[in-house]
Amino acid sequence: MMKRMGVTVLTVVGLCASASAQDRVRSIPSLPRTGEPIGVVADQPGTTLRPIGPNGPPPSGLAVGGTPLVARLTWAAGSGVMSYALYRADGSSATPVLRTPQGFTATTLTDTVPDPRITYQYRLVANYADGTYGEAVASYVSPPLANPASLSVQPLAPGAFKLSWPAAPGADRYRVDGAGIPNTGYTVPTLSTNVINVPPGPQSWQVVALYPGNFADYTNPTRSSLVNRTLPPHERFLSKNNGAGSQAQADAHAARLCGDDGCSLIAGILQHYGVQWDNNFTYEGGPTLVRYRNVTELGRDRATYCFESVGKDDRYTVCFTESGSTMSLIIKGTKGTRFASLNTRGPWNAYWADKFAVTDRATFDDEGPKFTPHACLSCHGGRYDPASGLVQGATLLPIDPGLVDLGGQRAALEEPIRKVNELISRSGAPPAVLSYINGLYGGRVVVPGATAVANYVPSGWSNDANLYRGVIKKNCTMCHLATPSLNLLSAGNLTQNKQRVYNAVCVEHSMPHAEVPFRRFWTEDTGPLFAPGLLGAWLGYPSCQ
């Protein structure tokens, strides 16, 4: 300190007249909080000392938000700014730490903080071209650690489940614990995981979100529980009413498809009956082509196409459905119905007329191949007549958009589905099928543009709609439309046959007779009673096991 002409000259440590703007910025971490002086100077003799602080305009629009342990800072670009420097103080009295590299010019920054319990102080410094600088401050308090809002448990197979949950904002991993999982838990970066070898009985699982630094709220995990049901012994699938068939019957049926012509392809089969191929159809599409996943019956991705044609001595409705490398063909006339199973033999983009060849059996489930046409009759009904090779009393089944997975394309597929259902309604369908289609479309299935009821419930179930939607519709409805005495179109029809239903479901374990609905019916968690128990109780029986 010196005295000159009566004025005291004060040397400011770390900030002298020759220091650059960058030097001044670098001195900031050791300075007090914003608003406090970084030095003092006398303007002229006899005046009081004044503080020296930021000497440029402060950066505008500084805002901070974010998710647990991750602060997201934004600010507005300033005129004349050469660079920004952002400092963070871990608490009100801590020394600020630089969070940006030298020459930083962006107007956003994401900063991961080390502890969710601290209030962090941020100081943003704008360095201007003229050597001045300005600063602004903001605080950040980490939002509370949060776990996923829900945990869903979906049966996949006996003793196997898929666990899934919605994202917890800011979480980078999740820890899952519970039945079928080692004591160390599963730590996954995804929103789902599968567990196997889950023992029978009541089981539970929990999930917690893991945040940067491995922080988590272990006190309040998201939990889910269910009863792991085991499948009872059951009859062979798809053989309840018509038997399993035999090799001799299957060979004879396949031979009769083309009579003496000996044909094997779809085009030849149709030609044998005088049916003209629908030239409007190509592999890429057609007026009644519908692609969907049959989630309630066979559980498969399918593509179905139907058309009408006048043959040599009858009028036919022809429907064929491709599923993977196999094709199901139904030719329904007034004299009877022919069913064919075909395997792929042509290129993927060939016309369906040339792509598949007849086989004597089809694979619909995990039990392996089953003889045709007998496996088909389990759902389509009817009786196979070996003498004529025709099935008497069989029916085509409608497509209910509420019972299939349309991959989010329901609006686009409503019209093709309506056209299929209109054709089925004209195919000599039995009263139950006609009643279902009529109710599904409110009597307007023949009207172009008519759409199906979103989650159709037949009027006969209006007083028990929950049981119908939760148990009957997705496990029983479609196949039973082909069973005249037990069409399940009303609650009364079910109660009139309650002993028959109870024996088939709860004693013989022969229903549902397709694998996908059988597994779902016996394992899906619907509360303490689960689906068979709900049905048994509704029918007036004390149990269903």
Side-chain angles (χ1 to χ4, degrees):
M1 178 184 299
M2 311 186 288
K3 289 185 179 180
R4 182 181 304 159
M5 298 176 61
V7 177
T8 300
V9 179
L10 188 66
T11 301
V12 181
V13 177
L15 184 63
C16 62
S18 62
S20 67
Q22 185 63 39
D23 292 333
R24 291 198 297 273
V25 170
R26 289 176 178 170
S27 70
I28 288 176
S30 62
L31 301 178
R33 293 189 299 273
T34 298
E36 296 184 0
I38 61 171
V40 294
V41 66
D43 289 333
Q44 53 184 326
T47 63
T48 57
L49 298 177
R50 63 177 178 81
I52 298 176
N55 52 2
S60 62
L62 177 61
V64 59
T67 52
L69 293 158
V70 179
R72 293 181 176 86
L73 298 103
T74 60
W75 55 90
S79 176
V81 175
M82 296 295 290
S83 65
Y84 293 99
L86 183 72
Y87 298 85
R88 185 188 76 205
D90 297 359
S92 58
S93 60
T95 299
V97 177
L98 184 65
R99 308 302 297 167
T100 53
Q102 188 171 355
F104 185 77
T105 58
T107 57
T108 62
L109 184 76
T110 298
D111 186 38
T112 300
V113 299
D115 192 322
R117 298 163 295 184
I118 297 174
T119 299
Y120 295 92
Q121 308 291 333
Y122 285 97
R123 180 183 299 183
L124 177 66
V125 178
N127 298 305
Y128 294 96
D130 61 3
T132 61
Y133 75 97
E135 62 181 36
V137 295
S139 297
Y140 167 75
V141 178
S142 174
L145 302 178
N147 288 319
S150 61
L151 174 59
S152 172
V153 183
Q154 176 186 356
L156 297 176
F161 298 86
K162 178 181 180 179
L163 311 181
S164 57
W165 53 89
D172 54 19
R173 291 168 300 142
Y174 299 88
R175 171 166 170 152
V176 188
D177 295 272
I181 300 175
N183 291 336
T184 53
Y186 287 162
T187 299
V188 297
T190 56
L191 298 178
S192 66
T193 190
N194 294 343
V195 293
I196 59 175
N197 300 323
V198 176
Q203 305 297 345
S204 62
W205 295 267
Q206 69 177 40
V207 59
V208 296
L210 300 178
Y211 290 92
N214 222 31
F215 283 95
D217 179 7
Y218 289 103
T219 305
N220 302 291
T222 301
R223 295 186 172 95
S224 185
S225 301
L226 56 70
V227 177
N228 180 23
R229 313 286 180 180
T230 58
L231 288 177
H234 59 84
E235 292 186 5
R236 186 167 174 81
F237 294 128
L238 300 180
S239 62
K240 170 63 178 172
N241 295 322
N242 305 282
S246 67
Q247 184 68 60
Q249 290 173 318
D251 289 342
H253 173 70
R256 288 190 181 97
L257 282 170
C258 293
D260 297 332
D261 299 343
C263 64
S264 62
L265 302 181
I266 293 177
I269 296 172
L270 298 179
Q271 184 179 7
H272 176 72
Y273 299 107
V275 174
Q276 298 300 313
W277 181 260
D278 185 353
N279 291 324
N280 292 322
F281 175 77
T282 67
Y283 183 85
E284 288 76 18
T288 64
L289 176 67
V290 183
R291 298 186 186 276
Y292 58 97
R293 184 169 182 82
N294 186 332
V295 294
T296 60
E297 296 166 29
L298 300 177
R300 291 185 168 198
D301 292 322
R302 313 184 84 185
T304 292
Y305 184 72
C306 298
F307 64 93
E308 292 176 319
S309 177
V310 177
K312 293 177 181 178
D313 57 358
D314 204 349
R315 182 177 185 86
Y316 297 100
T317 301
V318 180
C319 287
F320 45 92
T321 298
E322 181 184 15
S323 179
S325 62
T326 62
M327 172 75 75
S328 298
L329 172 65
I330 305 175
I331 306 172
K332 189 176 190 309
T334 61
K335 299 177 182 179
T337 305
R338 295 165 176 83
F339 292 84
S341 176
L342 305 100
N343 287 335
T344 186
R345 56 157 280 163
W348 71 270
N349 59 348
Y351 283 106
W352 278 355
D354 302 318
K355 186 181 177 184
F356 294 89
V358 174
T359 182
D360 58 2
R361 60 191 70 194
T363 300
F364 295 114
D365 49 50
D366 290 340
E367 290 179 338
K370 292 179 167 65
F371 292 117
T372 55
H374 289 75
C376 310
L377 307 188
S378 297
C379 277
H380 291 277
R383 178 187 59 82
Y384 177 59
D385 176 16
S388 64
L390 296 173
V391 176
Q392 302 298 333
T395 182
L396 297 168
L397 296 173
I399 300 176
D400 182 343
L403 279 173
V404 296
D405 180 1
L406 298 172
Q409 301 297 313
R410 175 163 179 165
L413 293 174
E414 280 278 10
E415 184 61 9
I417 291 175
R418 183 199 66 79
K419 290 180 178 179
V420 169
N421 289 332
E422 181 185 358
L423 290 178
I424 292 173
S425 71
R426 295 202 300 258
S427 68
V433 171
L434 292 175
S435 176
Y436 195 90
I437 293 175
N438 185 64
L440 186 62
Y441 287 91
R444 302 176 70 247
V445 71
V446 299
V447 179
T451 58
V453 175
N455 193 1
Y456 173 60
V457 175
S459 59
W461 283 97
S462 57
N463 293 329
D464 297 276
N466 288 336
L467 179 72
Y468 182 80
R469 290 194 186 101
V471 178
I472 304 300
K473 180 168 183 172
K474 62 186 179 180
N475 296 307
C476 317
T477 290
M478 275 299 130
C479 292
H480 273 274
L481 291 178
T483 308
S485 63
L486 187 55
N487 56 43
L488 300 182
L489 281 177
S490 68
N493 179 258
L494 179 58
T495 55
Q496 290 166 11
N497 294 275
K498 68 176 186 177
Q499 186 65 55
R500 175 182 173 188
V501 172
Y502 180 78
N503 287 340
V505 173
C506 304
V507 179
E508 300 171 0
H509 300 147
S510 61
M511 287 287 165
H513 59 64
E515 181 179 23
V516 170
F518 186 89
R519 291 188 181 280
R520 179 179 55 243
F521 183 76
W522 285 99
T523 60
E524 184 178 41
D525 187 61
T526 56
L529 291 176
F530 77 120
L534 286 173
L535 181 60
W538 191 88
L539 292 173
Y541 295 93
S543 65
C544 182
Q545 299 177 355

